[in-house]
Amino acid sequence: MQINDINDEGLRLLANLAQHYGAWRDAARQTAEGRLAWKTVSDRQYLYRIVDSKGNGKSLGPRSPENEALFESDQIARQTEKRAWDNVLQDGALYRALRLPRIASFAGEILRELDIESMLGSPGVLVVGTNAMAAYAIEATALLPTHIDATKDFDLTWVANEDRTPYDPTLFGALKKVDSTYTINAERTFQARNADGEEVELLLPESLKRAFPRHERFRPIPLPEQDWLLPGTRVDHVACGMDGKPARIVAPDPRWFALHKRWLSRKPSRDRLKVTKDEEQGLLLLDLVRSRMPRFPLDAAFRQSLPPELVPWFDDWARSRAIALD
């Protein structure tokens, strides 16, 4: 399979996009709780945090030097958010023109909301499934065939292992902010679907089942194979959706992800329509790790860290590439 390099122009764009996106995300986190505004009550001014379109809000107290500083900080954050968003949209137009690795647009919307709510990585979720391939492609500075990153669903795996309270944000809550038509599938309670038929699935490592929050609407089935996606070094990159809008992807260690994909391609209960892509993605990713991701060694020490279920898939790949492990 022919793999092309991301050229120097693309690499510069990716660096700028990550910087601009980070500026937007930090400002968006500051403004997410609602805008600040002054209200006059009985001839005295009070600072309010406005929480809805009707102007309802919570008083933060009368005008004071401290509240004036809060108001000014909010104004600066909103200006920064707008300017940074304008920058990332400009980056996104060039990103699309250069045909850099992309994800589903609806997945990008969800990821932006999760990032604002600090739910990407720990404590929160990892991107798994096909949308993770964009992050791996950027890590490898490679342009993948277009059919590799095409997807109509969005898979996430839960990685938070600490207690969470009913006041903490939830994945389902984030989905509802993005699109109010999302509902939990009554027959598959690990899946949510919106009015457009776009699906989000939440997977759960068996080792984390006791830590899964009761106030989360999703009810994923604990799976031992999801534990294979927890070790190693995670990949963290900003990619654009098909619509040119950016989102941050935090994905599992590519070595573990690739071997999990190969194992999944032979899982009896796996959807037969997905097994070919599972195998293709797994082999491609292992080859990319070997040739383009030096910080992820595929050596004897890594082999020794694998569970017995994944060793045959690693050995099969190593034999097919005539790789002798030290």
Side-chain angles (χ1 to χ4, degrees), residues 261-278:
K261 274 286 187 179
R262 296 205 67 198
W263 175 89
L264 199 60
S265 72
R266 297 297 184 270
K267 185 178 181 181
S269 61
R270 183 65 168 167
D271 184 342
R272 295 297 93 189
L273 298 177
K274 296 182 178 181
V275 297
T276 300
K277 180 179 285 188
D278 288 336

Side-chain angles (χ1 to χ4, degrees), residues 105-106 109 152-153 179 182 192-200:
S105 299
F106 84 96
E109 289 186 90
K152 294 183 179 180
D153 53 14
D179 183 342
Y182 273 107
R193 185 184 295 127
N194 68 6
D196 296 322
E198 294 162 339
E199 296 176 348
V200 179

Side-chain angles (χ1 to χ4, degrees), residues 16-326:
N16 289 336
L17 177 65
Q19 180 178 351
H20 294 155
Y21 174 84
W24 170 81
R25 187 268 321 281
D26 292 347
R29 284 178 176 173
Q30 186 173 342
T31 63
E33 294 182 0
R35 66 182 178 87
L36 299 184
W38 297 106
K39 287 188 175 183
T40 301
V41 180
S42 300
D43 297 326
R44 192 176 185 184
Q45 284 195 317
Y46 291 82
L47 185 62
Y48 275 75
R49 186 176 299 280
I50 308 301
V51 297
D52 60 28
S53 59
K54 297 179 180 180
N56 297 315
K58 176 183 178 182
S59 174
L60 301 179
R63 182 181 285 272
S64 65
E66 293 77 14
N67 276 345
E68 288 177 352
L70 279 177
F71 179 77
E72 182 178 0
S73 177
D74 179 72
Q75 295 299 299
I76 293 173
R78 292 183 182 282
Q79 293 172 10
T80 301
E81 181 182 4
K82 183 181 184 306
R83 291 176 183 175
W85 188 246
D86 289 342
N87 287 335
V88 298
L89 290 182
Q90 292 177 18
D91 292 339
L94 183 55
Y95 192 107
R96 293 181 66 186
L98 293 174
R99 302 190 67 81
L100 295 175
R102 288 178 288 177
I103 62 174
S105 299
F106 84 96
E109 289 186 90
I110 295 167
L111 286 172
R112 286 190 293 275
E113 183 60 36
L114 291 175
D115 205 7
I116 290 173
E117 298 190 8
S118 300
M119 285 191 67
L120 285 181
S122 296
V125 296
L126 295 180
V127 178
V128 295
T130 298
N131 284 293
M133 293 298 291
Y136 299 136
I138 292 172
E139 178 73 22
T141 66
L143 297 174
L144 304 184
T146 54
H147 71 280
I148 289 293
D149 58 10
T151 186
K152 294 183 179 180
D153 53 14
F154 186 29
D155 296 335
L156 299 164
T157 195
W158 186 263
V159 295
N161 60 3
E162 67 269 14
D163 292 336
R164 296 176 69 81
T165 74
Y167 302 101
D168 289 320
T170 65
L171 173 59
F172 187 70
L175 294 185
K176 296 293 280 187
K177 287 183 180 180
V178 170
D179 183 342
S180 62
T181 69
Y182 273 107
T183 57
I184 297 294
N185 185 339
E187 297 180 353
R188 308 180 73 192
T189 55
F190 57 88
Q191 182 187 85
R193 185 184 295 127
N194 68 6
D196 296 322
E198 294 162 339
E199 296 176 348
V200 179
E201 292 189 359
L202 179 62
L203 307 169
L204 177 64
E206 190 173 51
S207 65
L208 300 181
K209 62 182 179 181
R210 295 185 183 278
F212 190 74
R214 295 181 180 179
H215 64 287
E216 176 64 73
R217 289 286 304 281
F218 282 91
R219 295 271 70 111
I221 301 170
L223 299 170
E225 62 263 29
Q226 287 299 307
D227 281 289
W228 302 339
L229 300 178
L230 300 181
T233 303
R234 291 166 184 167
V235 169
D236 188 335
H237 287 293
V238 176
C240 282
M242 297 296 180
D243 56 5
K245 297 177 182 179
R248 177 171 162 242
I249 302 170
V250 184
D253 184 303
R255 299 167 296 180
W256 292 86
F257 182 88
L259 291 172
H260 174 263
K261 274 286 187 179
R262 296 205 67 198
W263 175 89
L264 199 60
S265 72
R266 297 297 184 270
K267 185 178 181 181
S269 61
R270 183 65 168 167
D271 184 342
R272 295 297 93 189
L273 298 177
K274 296 182 178 181
V275 297
T276 300
K277 180 179 285 188
D278 288 336
E279 174 70 357
E280 186 176 17
Q281 289 179 348
L283 286 173
L284 173 62
L285 188 50
L286 285 170
D287 290 340
L288 286 175
V289 171
R290 181 192 178 200
S291 62
R292 293 170 172 264
M293 303 186 198
R295 69 189 183 108
F296 298 99
L298 288 164
D299 53 17
F302 171 69
R303 183 184 184 279
Q304 290 177 355
S305 71
L306 295 173
E309 295 91 340
L310 294 183
V311 170
W313 298 106
F314 180 78
D315 289 347
D316 173 78
W317 169 80
R319 282 193 301 269
S320 70
R321 302 315 192 247
I323 298 172
L325 300 177
D326 297 331

